[in-house]
Amino acid sequence: MIEVVNPATEEVVGTVRAGTPGDVDTAVTRAAAAFPAWAETPAEERARLARRIAEGLAARTGELAATMTTEMGTPITFATKVQVPNPVGIANGVADALEAGYFADVEIGNSLVLREPIGVVGAITPWNFPLQQMVAKVVPALAAGNTVVLKPSELAPLTAGLLAEVLTAAGVPHGVFELVHGAGPVVGEALVAHPRVDAVSFTGSTRAGRRVSALAAETVKRVALELGGKSANVVLDDADLARAVKIGVANAFMNNGQACSAWTRLLVPADRHDEALEIAVAAAAKYVPGDPADPSTRLGPAVSAAQRDRVVGYVRRGVEEGAVLALGGPDAPTERGFHVAPTVFGNVRPDMAIAQEEIFGPVLSVLPYTDQDDAVRIANSTIYGLGGAVFSADPERALAVARRLRTGQVDINGAAFNTSAPFGGYRQSGNGREFGRFGLDEFTEVKSVQR
């Protein structure tokens, strides 16, 4: 059995059965048997299914939010306002794409170009946005006519059980969706390597993504990866510094700092570094570690003791490398729970580990730059390219800089997140896209029929 631990109390709050490679084979066999009939289901019917899933998730917002808070420590207010509404928006975005004619045939000369489902999809999801990442894979895969075998994170498996209930209530047939719990090296690897799995969609660390790619290559299956990030918030010299920094801190610390697209690097003009650092410290100090079940809490714990220790290790490394520790530090802020103190570093050099490597905790690095070209150079100086931001009083100038950032998504002046726009990374942040019609692309094949 896999024990589920509440990271705020360190108490076991549930268990799930750990699957085996044999369980994976059984699930894949069922999914393969269910595929032909499901693939023939009209796109209009699958769009209606996506709508019902969205409605089912919305109807269970309270239960889903509370479960995620309990098993992975996300603040209940964030869970209620983001962790559930985003998946609802994603499911509706998939339905929108199908209703807009995603599967319409295209004629090119004497060729008829068709979109068809790819087959059995293996979906492997993380613990930090458990519902969002499951929905971002499962719903478009099903809507495209595929069958799905899901392996959720063993750190946050309870939410997956609730999703399975929503899918069943929405009308997903037996075998079209299969759920197998278990550890990555056991269940995850068996799923990726299975010869009857036609595509794999994985979200997790870059290290694990490399392993997924290597295993999938043995059977030359389609792979979509959403991996790590080290996103830069580029504050230009004409921006409203106070607003840009406060929004940047909120983004860096959202979900307890456990977000792959978080703006963990704050790039500011060198002559305004000290001012920006002071604003950042004041904003970050309001993120007091506390009980994530309390609606007033803005910063909950790390998901596990191992994750807490990893973050603390990076904080110590930042001090050793000579960054200015302006707030927080490695000491535990609470007696119980896997909490990490909100931490802000100033005068961070681009070559420091805290400016290059994904920390996945409430740690913000403030980096000074000399001019706009230098800011772009620093922003593009990591192996990642997932998210980012640009702040400027001139929207066109901000857009020009956004075009130069080698990253899959850029927000200008704090623009809202869009669950129908493509989400994914450049370079070692992965390949492929999620959400809307671009997410459907990952789960379809294109066929040309000459007439």
Side-chain angles (χ1 to χ4, degrees), residues 129-170:
F129 282 84
L131 183 63
Q132 176 171 315
Q133 291 308 119
M134 286 187 289
V135 170
K137 300 180 189 306
V138 172
V139 174
L142 294 177
N146 304 282
T147 55
V148 179
V149 179
L150 170 67
K151 198 231 59 101
S153 169
E154 59 270 34
L155 292 177
L158 303 181
T159 303
L162 297 181
L163 174 62
E165 293 176 7
V166 170
L167 294 176
T168 298

Side-chain angles (χ1 to χ4, degrees), residues 234-242 244 272 391-394 397 413:
V234 180
V235 182
L236 299 180
D237 55 15
D238 63 344
D240 181 336
L241 186 66
R272 303 194 72 181
F391 284 83
S392 172
D394 181 352
R397 182 186 181 199
N413 291 332

Side-chain angles (χ1 to χ4, degrees), residues 235 241 245 249 266-269 272-282 344 364 366:
V235 182
L241 186 66
V245 171
V249 169
L266 175 61
L267 277 56
V268 297
R272 303 194 72 181
H273 169 273
D274 293 350
E275 180 185 358
L277 184 60
E278 182 179 351
I279 296 169
V281 167
V344 178
L364 176 67
V366 182

Side-chain angles (χ1 to χ4, degrees), residues 379-400:
N380 290 335
S381 67
T382 75
I383 63 172
Y384 300 108
L386 187 57
V390 181
F391 284 83
S392 172
D394 181 352
E396 291 305 314
R397 182 186 181 199
L399 179 59

Side-chain angles (χ1 to χ4, degrees), residues 162-220:
L162 297 181
L163 174 62
E165 293 176 7
V166 170
L167 294 176
T168 298
V172 177
H174 178 72
V176 172
F177 171 79
E178 294 285 330
L179 174 63
V180 184
H181 293 290
V186 179
V187 171
E189 294 202 3
L191 182 60
V192 173
H194 199 289
R196 298 188 74 181
V197 171
D198 301 290
V200 173
S201 181
F202 171 84
T203 297
S205 70
T206 298
R207 176 189 57 78
R210 297 188 190 107
R211 177 62 176 165
V212 168
S213 294
L215 287 172
E218 293 297 320
T219 47
V220 199

Side-chain angles (χ1 to χ4, degrees), residues 43-138:
E44 295 81 4
E45 184 174 333
R46 298 198 301 265
R48 289 192 291 271
L49 175 73
R51 294 282 186 213
R52 292 195 297 272
I53 293 171
E55 293 167 359
L57 294 172
R60 301 183 69 170
T61 294
E63 184 180 9
L64 287 162
T67 300
M68 287 185 280
T69 294
T70 298
E71 68 178 347
M72 48 77 58
T74 189
I76 187 64
T77 299
F78 185 80
T80 304
K81 294 183 177 180
V82 178
Q83 292 266 26
V84 180
N86 275 6
V88 172
I90 291 167
N92 278 322
V94 170
D96 290 342
L98 262 64
E99 292 170 357
Y102 178 81
F103 279 99
D105 297 342
V106 177
E107 293 191 19
I108 303 176
N110 69 317
S111 298
L112 185 67
V113 181
L114 314 175
R115 278 198 177 274
E116 298 180 342
I118 195 168
V120 177
V121 173
I124 302 175
T125 57
W127 47 261
N128 62 323
F129 282 84
L131 183 63
Q132 176 171 315
Q133 291 308 119
M134 286 187 289
V135 170
K137 300 180 189 306
V138 172

